[in-house]
Amino acid sequence: MLDRVKDLHQEIEHYVINSPEQLEQFRMRFISRKGVITELFEGLKHVPQADRRAVGQELNGLKNFAQERFESFSQLVDEQQAASKSVAPVDLTLPSIPNLTGTQHPLTLVRQRIIQIFERIGFNVADGPEIESDWYNFGALNFPDNHPARDMQDTFFVEKASADTDVSSDMLLRTHTSNVQIRLMERQKPPIRSIMPGRVYRNETISARAHCMFHQVEGIYIDRNVGFKDLKDTLYHFVKEMFEPGTLIRFRPSYFPFTEPSAEIDISCQICGGKGCNICKHSGWVEIAGSGMVDPQVIANCGIDPEEYTGFAFGMGIERITQLKYVVNDLRLYTENDVRFLRQFEGL
Ligand code: PHE
């Protein structure tokens, strides 16, 4: 009998309880009136008189031990129950919560694609300030003093915030990212082969076709023997990678103060395929970029010898490219953050 008591003692010692059901099993086995300990007490009468007292004491010890364990187990189970009640019950039959991850803004998508295309042919990405001086935005780029682009109507000028007596400021919000080209040429020896994506500002009334803030990617390539052919090859490559197969491209003579010769680049309308529609004003062509050979004077303005180095530059509006690629007909959609618009670019 003493062996049996010892075994049960050990069993209780190693008992593990994790649920009310297990607690109940423990109670049934050791504590209840039909349990093993009661049974042993009943067997006490068969124990020889001489040993009965000692065995009885052992049995009482076992009973108390079982009772103690039971109490601490119940406390543990109560705590577990309380903790699990504070968590809402899970209904596995409910449909799952839709996975509402954000979408990339169409302008971001297109900017990244443009960067990818040019990076693969050896251009790196350069950055520069949006608040710029007249020199970097206009002067160094050969804009004459009386050029209409400097006019208050096109350019946002920035007033000095200090109490300086000299309140006239030549600071402005850049009207193109060409300022980064000047800064690059000033501090980097050719070869220079960079693109500069960024925000630009022009004083326009906001409408479906114009905005006072938009995005450009400009590019510049300065090295020995860079010619117009390189400009054409680069932009042909860009159009081929960016737009639908079969898209036509044409260079149209144009004028920019900082390039000579200059050309505007048109592609066949992506919306009507060149047949004529509202977007291309029924001409079948849409303009996507300005470009040209960097004027030797601009190269010299940045401290580079124009006799030794030549180069080309180009600039395009990201909104325009996005409009053609995704048929967005109102510029305001890009800044209104209407999720019904933005959601359409999910997964692109
Ligand atoms: N800076 C011009 C613009 O803002 C674009 C351009 C860049 C044209 C480089 C020619 C060469 O429209």
Side-chain angles (χ1 to χ4, degrees):
M1 179 119 144
L2 281 177
D3 284 347
R4 179 104 172 97
V5 170
K6 220 187 211 162
D7 286 351
L8 287 172
H9 202 280
Q10 264 182 14
E11 190 184 332
I12 295 172
E13 211 161 70
H14 297 120
Y15 216 97
V16 180
I17 284 186
N18 280 315
S19 67
E21 290 76 27
Q22 286 170 341
L23 182 70
E24 178 59 9
Q25 275 164 16
F26 183 90
R27 195 190 64 81
M28 294 284 277
R29 178 152 171 73
F30 299 107
I31 313 284
S32 82
R33 269 201 263 146
K34 286 180 192 139
V36 280
I37 296 176
T38 317
E39 205 179 285
L40 284 179
F41 270 113
E42 273 159 16
L44 207 54
K45 53 181 178 267
H46 305 300
V47 173
Q49 185 72 38
D51 299 337
R52 207 172 284 167
R53 194 180 150 84
V55 175
Q57 268 174 0
E58 286 299 319
L59 260 181
N60 268 326
L62 181 68
K63 187 182 159 191
N64 291 341
F65 181 56
Q67 189 63 36
E68 266 168 39
R69 295 295 283 198
F70 178 72
E71 272 154 28
S72 63
F73 280 145
S74 352
Q75 204 178 339
L76 192 85
V77 166
D78 280 351
E79 279 165 16
Q80 279 176 353
Q81 289 296 100
S84 70
K85 276 214 184 82
S86 62
V87 178
V90 178
D91 182 351
L92 294 176
T93 64
L94 285 175
S96 65
I97 298 164
N99 189 6
L100 293 175
T101 47
T103 63
Q104 297 237 63
H105 194 281
L107 295 178
T108 307
L109 285 168
V110 170
R111 186 190 62 214
Q112 277 168 355
R113 179 77 188 119
I114 296 173
I115 291 174
Q116 205 179 38
I117 293 170
F118 283 105
E119 274 184 341
R120 280 183 54 193
I121 53 169
F123 284 78
N124 62 12
V125 176
D127 201 6
E130 288 177 28
I131 302 173
E132 191 50 287
S133 70
D134 182 278
W135 170 254
Y136 286 107
N137 194 78
F138 293 130
L141 289 151
N142 271 355
F143 279 81
D145 281 345
N146 59 359
H147 194 282
R150 294 182 187 226
D151 197 295
M152 294 295 281
Q153 272 148 43
D154 285 316
T155 308
F156 288 113
F157 289 90
V158 178
E159 277 178 24
K160 266 196 192 150
S162 78
D164 240 284
T165 42
D166 174 22
V167 284
S168 79
S169 159
D170 74 340
M171 298 304 282
L172 46 84
L173 298 183
R174 66 179 177 192
T175 58
H176 48 192
T177 56
S178 307
N179 65 322
V180 187
Q181 305 184 0
I182 300 298
R183 287 176 175 277
L184 261 184
M185 284 194 282
E186 262 184 2
R187 62 164 197 260
Q188 192 186 318
K189 262 181 64 114
I192 297 169
R193 193 156 49 193
S194 299
I195 53 169
M196 39 287 300
R199 261 195 295 262
V200 300
Y201 304 85
R202 290 182 197 176
N203 194 354
E204 306 256 10
T205 307
I206 297 173
S207 72
R209 308 175 62 91
H211 208 287
C212 58
M213 185 278 291
F214 57 99
H215 299 78
Q216 281 191 330
V217 178
E218 296 211 356
I220 190 163
Y221 180 18
I222 306 277
D223 202 354
R224 293 191 181 93
N225 302 319
V226 177
F228 201 84
K229 176 185 184 298
D230 301 302
L231 166 63
K232 287 184 81 172
D233 282 347
T234 305
L235 290 166
Y236 273 132
H237 173 76
F238 168 71
V239 168
K240 202 170 116 241
E241 292 288 308
M242 190 76 205
F243 296 103
E244 296 299 314
T247 299
L248 302 176
I249 179 169
R250 74 177 184 191
F251 282 68
R252 194 164 29 79
S254 184
Y255 172 79
F256 298 102
F258 39 94
T259 48
E260 181 59 35
S262 306
E264 274 172 314
I265 296 141
D266 297 342
I267 59 168
S268 51
C269 182
Q270 302 290 295
I271 315 295
C272 63
K275 287 191 206 73
C277 68
N278 280 341
I279 301 292
C280 60
K281 301 202 197 89
H282 302 281
S283 71
W285 294 94
V286 282
E287 184 214 314
I288 58 157
S291 70
M293 299 307 294
V294 182
D295 192 303
Q297 183 59 51
V298 174
I299 295 181
N301 285 345
C302 302
I304 295 174
D305 181 3
E307 296 291 329
E308 191 178 350
Y309 293 104
T310 52
F312 67 77
F314 56 88
M316 62 188 100
I318 302 182
E319 278 80 355
R320 166 53 71 92
I321 308 282
T322 311
Q323 174 196 34
L324 295 174
K325 226 174 142 50
Y326 296 120
V327 200
V328 178
N329 287 330
D330 190 329
L331 273 177
R332 290 167 294 194
L333 286 166
Y334 293 125
T335 44
E336 279 168 354
N337 280 337
D338 186 330
V339 287
R340 290 169 301 180
F341 171 68
L342 297 173
R343 284 239 160 270
Q344 294 176 53
F345 298 90
E346 209 160 0
L348 289 179

